[in-house]
Amino acid sequence: MARIVVIGAGLGAMAAAARLAVAGHRVTVYERTGTYGGAVGRFAREGFAFDTGPGLLHLPAVYRDLFVKTGKEPLEECVTLSQVDPASRHVFADGTRVDLPNASRAGTVSALDAALGAGAGARWGDFLVRAREAWDRTRRPLLEEPQPADPAPLAREPYPALKAGLLRRPTTTLAQVGARELADPRLAALLDAYAWSYGFDPATAPAAAAVLPYMEQTFGSWYVGGGLRALADAVHERCRKRRVEFVFDTAVEDVLEKDGRAVGVRLAGGETVEADHVVSGAPVPALYHEHVVEWGDGDDRPHHQTTWTSRVTVCLALRGPRESAAVHRTVVHAAGERPTVTVLRPDDPALRPDAEHESVTVTATVRTSPEGDGQDWEAFADRMVEAAAEAVPGLRERLLWRHVRTPEDVRRDTGSAEVPGPALAGARGLLLPAANRSPLPGLWFAGGWSHPGGGLAHAGMSGALVAGLIVEGADFRGSQ
């Protein structure tokens, strides 16, 4: 039985902790804040409740596997899962609207043809065929296996080049995919919105980001009853049942090394804790700088992404019931100075004081920097609410109050204002996060800042990979 210290209580770190505890190890989680969940937070006031991180779950099989492997109760006995249908409603800048069904290629093609004109659906369907090729090429090395010792093959663009006459014309960015292949600014905006929702600027994101809409439209979008915070509650409870110890309000200040190996941690108060392994769910760059390599020393990846992005979230408390024609998720695309926003309107009694009120969450991805840029976030929130009014009838008249969460709130809750995106191939390898196995023996990385990157599903996979590497050692080849 090994002594294992886990830094942070995010979903990826807790997924690793539960799996390691089931394998017979003694696991202690140190969390610098007063609660678990990391980015999967909740804001509650006057009977209203809002998810402050992700609002939908993709690839729920990741958490089904976690619960099967760590206890007798399957995921569906611990949380209520339901598919969101339609998966999303899109409101484009010209006023065109389209509802896209959940996990139905034929339904999506038909809906796009009806809303955008004959041929639009076929162009999107052809794009998804190419996106599937990129998915098939990268799925195992990017999601299901530890990052290879030589990640150079993943630096090459997996998205297939289109033929231009007798030649193949390479497409290097997702924005180029939209401009060259979709032939409609609304389809290009649809593609861009998927990139922004995962924290990528389509102008700089590689064409490989095409796997993101493919993943959602193929495997579907799911809602967790009570909000995504209920999933964090369930994973935390599973850890407790496996006798994982949690120590909250206790920051880890340093990782201890001896004879070239991690041997424990130093807490902020000066106390040291010995460990056979240290698993960190903390933002990777800070730990790398201190313990693995000087960033910039032969490594041109100063951050996980080339463009720093974060989230602004506006929680809206509304009087009046949710109308029957409302949909769970609406994406209102940018128009003029209004940003692209995602409006979530879950029909969930757990999130509202009664049937005569509604909780609505509006989010936008924004460019940011490590130091912050002095943005007037209240003015930005005004523009977000203006956009959200396209999705919520009578929003201004119904509004009781709003609560704005800025990148600084993200920094306070997670340790970094940046929201890490999932790992992507291509882009010269710049969007490959740190490997789970660090160059310092005994130090491991789990969670959104490490392979296979950010997002609930990816974080859960990261925890599974770290546990497999520790338990099975060199024989571990990833999930089967």
Side-chain angles (χ1 to χ4, degrees):
M1 178 177 69
R3 300 163 300 175
I4 299 178
V5 165
V6 176
I7 304 172
L11 266 291
M14 288 198 296
R19 290 175 182 270
L20 289 167
V22 166
H25 300 300
R26 191 174 72 206
V27 184
T28 304
V29 177
Y30 292 92
E31 166 58 45
R32 66 180 184 83
T33 71
T35 189
Y36 50 85
V40 186
R42 166 164 295 184
F43 174 75
R45 172 180 160 188
E46 298 172 9
F48 295 90
F50 311 84
D51 281 324
T52 58
L56 292 173
L57 177 64
H58 307 295
L59 297 177
V62 173
Y63 287 92
R64 290 191 179 109
D65 182 70
L66 170 65
F67 277 71
V68 166
K69 300 289 178 56
T70 59
K72 296 179 180 179
E73 308 88 359
L75 177 64
E76 277 82 356
E77 287 187 13
C78 301
V79 297
T80 301
L81 282 179
S82 57
Q83 281 193 301
V84 176
D85 204 5
S88 56
R89 172 174 292 167
H90 290 264
V91 181
F92 296 102
D94 66 354
T96 305
R97 295 174 178 244
V98 60
D99 288 357
L100 300 183
N102 200 337
S104 170
R105 176 82 60 86
T108 295
V109 168
S110 177
L112 290 172
D113 274 341
L116 307 186
R123 288 193 298 276
W124 184 260
D126 290 343
F127 155 72
L128 287 182
V129 171
R130 294 186 289 276
R132 177 178 180 174
E133 187 172 333
W135 170 266
D136 289 341
R137 289 175 177 176
T138 60
R139 175 179 59 87
R140 281 202 62 80
L142 273 189
L143 295 179
E144 299 173 0
E145 299 173 346
Q147 193 177 98
D150 178 13
L154 291 174
R156 294 194 287 268
E157 177 57 63
Y159 186 80
L162 283 183
K163 283 189 176 180
L166 298 177
L167 302 177
R168 285 192 175 272
R169 179 172 58 177
T171 302
T172 59
T173 70
L174 196 68
Q176 289 176 334
V177 172
R180 293 177 179 178
E181 302 176 22
L182 297 179
D184 186 313
R186 294 165 297 185
L187 287 179
L190 174 62
L191 180 58
D192 288 353
Y194 281 101
W196 282 118
S197 70
Y198 284 91
F200 296 108
D201 183 341
T204 58
V211 300
L212 302 175
Y214 172 81
M215 178 182 71
E216 280 201 29
Q217 294 196 5
T218 300
F219 302 107
S221 300
W222 300 74
Y223 178 67
V224 178
L228 264 291
R229 180 64 184 182
L231 177 63
D233 293 341
V235 175
H236 174 251
E237 181 61 22
R238 177 55 53 90
C239 285
R240 290 183 66 252
K241 287 184 177 180
R242 302 285 80 81
R243 299 185 179 179
V244 174
E245 181 183 358
F246 286 83
V247 183
F248 294 106
D249 296 311
T250 304
V252 171
E253 194 172 69
D254 202 2
V255 174
L256 304 178
E257 300 176 36
K258 183 178 180 181
D259 300 328
R261 180 181 177 83
V263 294
V265 298
R266 179 182 297 112
L267 306 181
E271 178 187 354
T272 61
V273 180
E274 294 182 352
D276 300 295
H277 297 275
V278 176
V279 177
S280 177
V284 166
L287 221 56
Y288 255 43
H289 180 77
E290 295 296 331
H291 297 287
V292 181
V293 67
E294 292 290 333
W295 285 82
D297 247 356
D299 188 338
D300 62 352
R301 294 183 296 160
H303 305 297
H304 173 63
Q305 297 175 195
T306 54
T307 300
W308 281 71
T309 58
S310 189
R311 299 279 192 271
V312 176
T313 303
V314 184
C315 306
L316 303 176
L318 305 183
R319 65 169 64 88
R322 180 181 187 270
E323 72 275 12
S324 59
V327 299
H328 190 114
R329 173 172 61 171
T330 300
V331 178
V332 182
H333 294 263
E337 294 186 356
R338 291 186 343 204
T340 295
V341 301
T342 299
V343 183
L344 295 182
R345 306 180 64 189
D347 187 11
D348 189 341
L351 304 184
R352 59 191 183 226
D354 53 51
E356 295 303 311
H357 294 84
E358 183 183 6
S359 298
V360 174
T361 305
V362 187
T363 60
T365 299
V366 294
R367 295 180 181 89
T368 187
S369 68
E371 299 80 19
D373 53 12
Q375 172 85 29
D376 183 348
W377 295 119
E378 287 294 334
F380 186 79
D382 289 342
R383 297 194 292 274
M384 290 175 63
V385 173
E386 179 186 348
E390 297 287 336
V392 185
L395 187 153
R396 295 177 185 84
E397 295 75 25
R398 297 176 59 197
L399 183 60
L400 293 171
W401 50 263
R402 79 183 192 189
H403 174 75
V404 180
R405 289 179 49 84
T406 73
E408 280 307 306
D409 294 303
V410 176
R411 186 195 306 276
R412 183 195 65 229
D413 291 346
T414 68
S416 173
E418 185 187 10
V419 177
L424 293 177
R428 296 180 294 117
L430 294 176
L431 299 180
L432 297 176
N436 307 113
R437 184 198 304 270
S438 86
L440 178 67
L443 174 61
W444 310 84
F445 293 128
W449 290 96
S450 58
H451 180 74
L456 281 176
H458 292 71
M461 294 175 192
S462 179
L465 290 171
V466 167
L469 286 164
I470 291 175
V471 173
E472 298 184 30
D475 293 333
F476 181 65
R477 295 292 181 268
S479 59
Q480 302 301 317

